[in-house]
Amino acid sequence: MTQQTPQVPQSQPELAEVRNFRDVGGLPTVDGRRIRHGRLYRSGHLAHATEADTTFLAGLGLHTVFDFRNASDIKLEGPDVALPGVRNVNIPLTDPADGAAFWTMVRDGELDQLRVVLGDGKAADRMARTYRQIITTRAEDHSRVLHALAEDSVPALMHCAAGKDRAGLSVAVTLLAVGVERDAIEADYLKSNDPSRRYKIHRSAHSTAGMSPEVLELLSPLFGAHIDYLTAAFDAIEETWGGVEPYLTDGLKLAPATRERLRARLLTD
């Protein structure tokens, strides 16, 4: 099955208000193929895209934008900009009520409170638990995304708020489903740490602690991509389903024909 690759600009401009954007194309699979360029993109939210950002995104030939933010995120950041002819699908991968008090503390909390809640490895532990929870409780949502990609949703862009955690896991699951090497999945995930890609941390003016170096150090595990988080997700797959293959078959309900269509849409020949 031959896929028509959309015309993609030869050079990607530095997007002004869309963080962490990249084409996932080029990543190698275990059978010697690669993700086709111009088929799967990832980024942070599109709510603040400038006119130039929007023009670039509109020129990618996207079929679907998958937005994994919850209602609380969208209320805070705003809805995505409209891209002509593109279908927008919102699949919240976290409950807006889950952790609402925690994220309010992240924005507004004083230094002593941040030390108690985030210090001594607590922030990193929270992130690892979140990754595990998304894998174990959101299999139906990930299945929906993969079935959509197999049917008609490519080229696609996946994003959440920062483009690191919920989108990062959704991209990782997609790459697992088409046989991308785990080392390549991890390398792509860690690109979210590039200074130009990282989410802009916002702190409330009500907090006297502001953005001091200690505050930034305490918050850093929440806003960085750490391999331990992705490893926690892979471990959850092993512990819950016994491996990647049963996860794809039993957890995500991917029939062989669906996986073949997915490979045909996303991989080189």
Side-chain angles (χ1 to χ4, degrees):
M1 179 178 178
T2 301
Q3 299 292 330
Q4 186 69 32
T5 302
Q7 185 65 36
V8 179
Q10 293 300 307
S11 60
Q12 179 196 316
E14 186 72 30
L15 298 180
E17 294 296 339
V18 178
R19 307 291 288 183
N20 209 6
F21 174 87
R22 57 191 179 273
D23 185 343
V24 183
L27 298 183
T29 64
V30 294
D31 63 357
R33 302 166 75 181
R34 289 184 180 272
I35 297 290
R36 190 174 302 186
H37 287 282
R39 309 305 282 170
L40 181 61
Y41 301 91
R42 58 182 293 175
S43 75
H45 70 75
L46 312 183
H48 303 157
T50 65
E51 183 176 350
D53 295 341
T54 302
T55 298
F56 171 78
L57 294 169
L60 295 175
L62 295 172
H63 181 287
T64 302
V65 170
F66 292 99
D67 180 355
F68 301 119
R69 296 179 298 164
N70 61 43
S72 179
D73 299 322
I74 294 172
K75 181 179 179 181
L76 177 67
E77 297 149 353
D80 284 343
V81 296
L83 300 175
V86 177
R87 180 177 68 173
N88 291 276
V89 178
N90 178 227
I91 303 177
L93 289 183
T94 50
D95 186 330
D98 180 26
F102 173 83
W103 290 105
T104 298
M105 181 275 302
V106 168
R107 291 192 301 272
D108 300 339
E110 298 297 342
L111 183 55
D112 287 347
Q113 186 180 18
L114 295 174
R115 285 170 177 159
V116 170
V117 177
L118 303 177
D120 298 322
K122 294 186 184 74
D125 288 345
R126 179 187 178 88
M127 293 302 298
R129 287 197 306 272
T130 297
Y131 274 55
R132 293 176 64 90
Q133 183 178 34
I134 289 175
I135 286 294
T136 57
T137 66
R138 300 290 178 161
E140 184 175 344
D141 292 322
H142 283 139
S143 176
R144 178 183 169 192
V145 171
L146 291 176
H147 279 88
L149 292 174
E151 292 304 322
D152 64 358
S153 297
V154 175
L157 167 66
M158 297 182 182
H159 80 79
C160 50
K164 171 180 72 76
D165 303 316
R166 290 164 290 186
L169 278 176
S170 298
V171 169
V173 167
T174 302
L175 298 177
L176 283 176
V178 296
V180 171
E181 297 175 0
R182 178 163 165 173
D183 286 351
I185 295 174
E186 293 173 347
D188 175 70
Y189 167 77
L190 290 173
K191 286 182 180 179
S192 293
N193 285 328
D194 293 351
S196 64
R197 300 184 190 277
R198 286 178 71 105
Y199 184 74
K200 295 179 181 178
I201 302 174
H202 298 286
R203 287 268 292 157
S204 169
H206 300 300
S207 172
T208 58
M211 297 281 281
S212 70
E214 185 176 355
V215 167
L216 291 177
E217 183 178 355
L218 287 166
L219 295 180
S220 179
L222 304 177
F223 295 97
H226 296 268
I227 199 62
D228 288 349
Y229 305 164
L230 195 57
T231 298
F234 289 140
D235 288 347
I237 289 173
E238 292 288 335
E239 293 162 10
T240 306
W241 288 279
V244 171
E245 284 302 314
Y247 168 61
L248 297 174
T249 302
D250 302 329
L252 302 185
K253 311 300 183 187
L254 293 178
T258 303
R259 291 179 67 181
E260 190 53 45
R261 285 197 303 274
L262 197 58
R263 285 191 286 263
R265 290 191 180 278
L266 293 179
L267 300 182
T268 57
D269 296 328

